Amino acid sequence: MSQSVTPVRTNQCALIRATANSPVHQFLRRFFRQKLAIAASAVLVALFLLTIIGPAISPYDPVKPDYNSLLQPPSARNLLGTDEFGRDILSRIIYGTRISITVSLSSVFIGSVIGTVVGLTAGYYGGSYDSFVMRTCDIMFAFPGILQAIAIIAILGPGLHNVIVAVAIYTVPQFIRIIRGSTLALKNMMYIEAARAVGIPDRLIIWKHIFPGTFSIALVYFTMRIGTAILIAASLSFLGLGAQPPLPEWGAMLSSGREYLMSAPHVALFPGLAILITCLAFNLFGDGLRDALDRKIVD
């Protein structure tokens, strides 16, 4: 009886050790050691919940004016006060969460997909195609991102959809450079040479062998670019080129509140804090994700 139990216990111990040494377990162990990244994750979870259930828990209509409550300070009735039209600032920030998160995720996703495809192919094939792609990126890098976005909006016209296009175009060369660099490092590896030797098509080598090696870098950069996208989208709305009134977008709220900095500073303070906290949370989460995925860090 004891002889039959021993192999079972041995197999169970081996399974436990294998699970403890799995890449997923190592990633989680490294990530949960970082307190700032965990705090940022909690903030991001709360923000994503607001994008889903925000309208259901919003205390007031975000666009309906109340001319009997103009520029009221924070109180029990309006926790964050009211704006110049008597609209509840808390309700507008809650609704603005959905707008800012949706715009930033959409723009970064579009830019990352295009940048990843171009970066993979440019790094793998090289030659004149690679030179053309990189010189184009150099031209785009020569101009500040906000100026590129303003130029694109000036051509397409103001509006949230055009903001998504502008931020996506700004994001593309960033991903091209990151993915191309990783592709150049991977394409001369022995397993890639072996795949070419046995006649595997280039498209399969790129997507099944090279792309998985660049995924972790792309994921980290994707996360950190969301904060930048939120900031650029808010800047465009602040300048009147993004969301148009009465849409409750954080940048537009900040723009309208700047006229009341002396008499009612809360009108600009709380949208500004929403932008700051959200961008900081995405950046801290991205830093934690990068450290957790870095295999050079010893547990």
Side-chain angles (χ1 to χ4, degrees):
M1 183 68 179
S2 60
Q3 294 179 353
S4 61
V5 173
T6 301
V8 174
R9 290 180 177 176
T10 303
N11 293 335
Q12 290 177 346
C13 292
L15 180 62
I16 293 173
R17 286 194 298 269
T19 303
N21 293 324
S22 66
V24 174
H25 187 272
Q26 292 179 4
F27 164 77
L28 293 175
R29 183 170 54 195
R30 292 171 180 170
F31 184 80
F32 281 105
R33 287 178 180 176
Q34 304 175 66
K35 296 181 180 180
L36 288 177
I38 295 174
S41 302
V43 173
L44 294 180
V45 169
L47 289 172
F48 281 109
L49 285 176
L50 281 180
T51 63
I52 299 172
I53 65 174
I57 65 175
S58 177
Y60 299 98
D61 189 327
V63 298
K64 183 179 180 180
D66 183 2
Y67 296 108
N68 295 320
S69 303
L70 303 181
L71 298 175
Q72 294 296 309
S75 62
R77 182 170 178 239
N78 303 102
L79 295 180
L80 301 184
T82 61
D83 63 6
E84 68 273 21
F85 294 104
R87 298 171 298 195
D88 183 61
I89 293 178
L90 176 60
S91 300
R92 290 178 64 78
I93 289 178
I94 290 175
Y95 274 82
T97 302
R98 172 178 291 185
I99 296 173
S100 296
I101 296 296
T102 302
V103 169
S104 60
L105 282 177
S106 301
S107 58
V108 176
F109 177 77
I110 294 171
S112 65
V113 170
I114 298 174
T116 298
V117 172
V118 177
L120 284 170
T121 53
Y124 183 81
Y125 290 109
S128 57
Y129 171 61
D130 180 44
S131 299
F132 172 76
V133 169
M134 294 313 298
R135 297 299 76 76
T136 304
C137 291
D138 290 339
I139 294 173
M140 297 182 71
F141 283 129
F143 300 94
I146 187 65
L147 291 183
Q148 291 183 35
I150 291 174
I152 296 169
I153 293 296
I155 297 172
L156 300 178
L160 281 180
H161 290 90
N162 294 336
V163 168
I164 293 175
V165 174
V167 178
I169 293 175
Y170 165 72
T171 305
V172 167
Q174 313 282 343
F175 273 92
I176 289 177
R177 175 168 288 185
I178 294 293
I179 299 302
R180 174 184 175 272
S182 299
T183 303
L184 290 175
L186 292 172
K187 74 173 186 178
N188 294 322
M189 301 292 287
M190 291 298 296
Y191 69 95
I192 301 296
E193 296 290 345
R196 290 199 196 98
V198 298
I200 296 178
D202 288 342
R203 65 179 185 276
L204 295 181
I205 293 176
I206 292 173
W207 294 112
K208 289 190 176 182
H209 299 285
I210 294 181
F211 174 69
T214 66
F215 180 76
S216 60
I217 298 175
L219 179 62
V220 172
Y221 198 70
F222 178 91
T223 305
M224 302 185 73
R225 294 305 300 176
I226 294 175
T228 304
I230 291 175
L231 195 58
I232 294 178
S235 300
L236 292 173
S237 296
F238 182 86
L239 296 173
L241 301 175
Q244 301 299 305
L247 203 62
E249 199 274 338
W250 292 344
M253 293 172 63
L254 191 63
S255 177
S256 62
R258 62 181 171 174
E259 300 179 6
Y260 307 97
L261 288 177
M262 300 303 296
S263 59
H266 65 278
V267 180
L269 173 64
F270 294 114
L273 285 177
I275 297 172
L276 172 64
I277 292 172
T278 304
C279 293
L280 183 62
F282 274 109
N283 288 337
L284 291 176
F285 179 76
D287 285 337
L289 199 63
R290 178 189 59 198
D291 293 341
L293 292 171
D294 192 353
R295 297 180 180 179
K296 297 179 182 179
I297 298 178
V298 181
D299 292 334

